[in-house]
Amino acid sequence: MISISCQYNRRFDLDPQHTALIVIDMQRDFLAPEGASGVSGFDLSPLRAIIPRMQNLLSAAREHGVSVFHTREGHRTDLADLPETKQQRSLQAGAQIGAPGPLGRFLVRGEFGHDFIDELQPIPGEPIIDKPGYGAFYATDLEHMLRRKGITHVLLTGVTTQCCVNSTLREAVDRGFFCLTLADCCASFEPALHDATLQIIASEAHLFGWIANGENVICALEKHTFDERNRAIEQTA
């Protein structure tokens, strides 16, 4: 069991074999200037700032036995799974879902913009969850896949904090998973919304779980592996 130091003097205990890192929507449509968010005029710099930290966290998770799941928000090529309300919102934002853009049709599965950024591509064997909504459990097999692997604890990262990350967090909490949101590995276009979401997570005696930084997780995983190796050496000495 690993104990991670969290904000507000709390600790999050996990077993790597029963823990999943969920990397939420690190797609070109949200992080590339030619993608849907860039074309809509959003400031991408807060989102892109977390990429190096997420690369480090992803490497540590892979090295130390934490399962990794990647999610992508997007819709069928015929847009049959796109609600009218969401379509209208995307039109008002300036990049209508399904319309042609520099990286292909905005937020349509199979298009270049829908795929992950180069820096955070999945490796073979890591599940990809294609979701039509903001939460990763809605209209997907994510819960079934987590249960089948024996996952009880989830680490949440990605974009944006107040939308898809928080929606997924709330769905996970309702399903009984122990949830740790990694504050420095999530981001919003507006930092104030990021900060407000973290305050909501911690409200009412931590209604939506724990909050920590990715570096805390990396350090805890590395220490655990180091201690395990030392114990193994001592037992064989």
Side-chain angles (χ1 to χ4, degrees):
M1 190 66 70
I2 297 175
S3 185
I4 297 169
S5 177
C6 299
Q7 295 182 10
Y8 306 101
N9 296 316
R10 305 184 82 213
R11 302 199 71 83
F12 186 78
D13 298 326
L14 61 84
D15 178 348
Q17 293 185 343
H18 298 286
T19 301
L21 170 64
I22 303 181
V23 181
I24 298 173
D25 299 0
M26 298 299 287
Q27 303 161 240
R28 297 186 183 101
D29 263 333
F30 296 132
L31 290 126
E34 306 86 358
S37 296
V39 170
S40 296
F42 289 105
D43 179 8
L44 305 183
S45 57
L47 275 60
R48 295 197 59 84
I50 70 172
I51 293 174
R53 295 192 288 272
M54 291 193 65
Q55 287 178 302
N56 293 335
L57 179 64
L58 196 53
S59 296
R62 290 165 174 164
E63 180 180 354
H64 299 288
V66 173
S67 297
V68 178
F69 288 73
H70 303 260
T71 78
R72 292 184 298 205
E73 181 184 343
H75 297 275
R76 293 164 45 110
T77 56
D78 61 3
L79 305 183
D81 57 354
L82 176 62
E84 179 63 24
T85 51
K86 189 176 183 182
Q87 178 71 295
Q88 289 183 11
R89 190 212 66 80
S90 70
L91 176 62
Q92 293 168 356
Q96 185 177 17
I97 295 174
L103 304 182
R105 298 172 68 198
F106 293 126
L107 288 174
V108 170
R109 296 176 187 177
E111 301 288 345
F112 189 71
H114 174 257
D115 200 11
F116 304 105
I117 58 174
D118 293 342
E119 298 92 330
L120 294 170
Q121 286 283 326
I123 62 174
E126 291 178 349
I128 297 172
I129 309 298
D130 281 316
K131 60 188 183 70
Y134 302 131
F137 290 87
Y138 169 68
T140 75
D141 293 328
L142 177 57
E143 181 175 8
H144 170 74
M145 297 171 74
L146 293 173
R147 301 288 187 201
R148 187 171 184 180
K149 288 181 68 72
I151 300 300
T152 56
H153 292 59
V154 294
L155 314 177
L156 293 116
T157 66
V159 298
T160 57
T161 314
Q162 86 283 0
C163 185
C164 293
V165 175
N166 192 240
S167 294
T168 301
L169 169 64
R170 287 168 177 257
E171 291 176 331
V173 168
D174 279 345
R175 286 163 173 79
F177 292 99
F178 292 91
C179 297
L180 174 63
T181 301
L182 300 182
D184 63 340
C185 293
C186 301
S188 299
F189 297 115
E190 300 178 46
L193 296 179
H194 172 83
D195 294 340
T197 303
L198 296 178
Q199 292 177 10
I200 290 171
I201 293 171
S203 66
E204 297 185 43
H206 302 274
L207 193 60
F208 297 106
W210 290 255
I211 303 170
N213 285 329
E215 188 62 30
N216 298 103
V217 175
I218 294 172
C219 291
L221 289 171
E222 291 178 345
K223 182 179 184 303
H224 174 73
T225 299
F226 179 80
D227 291 343
E228 288 291 300
R229 289 173 180 167
N230 280 345
R231 276 193 288 270
I233 293 172
E234 292 172 356
Q235 290 173 359
T236 58

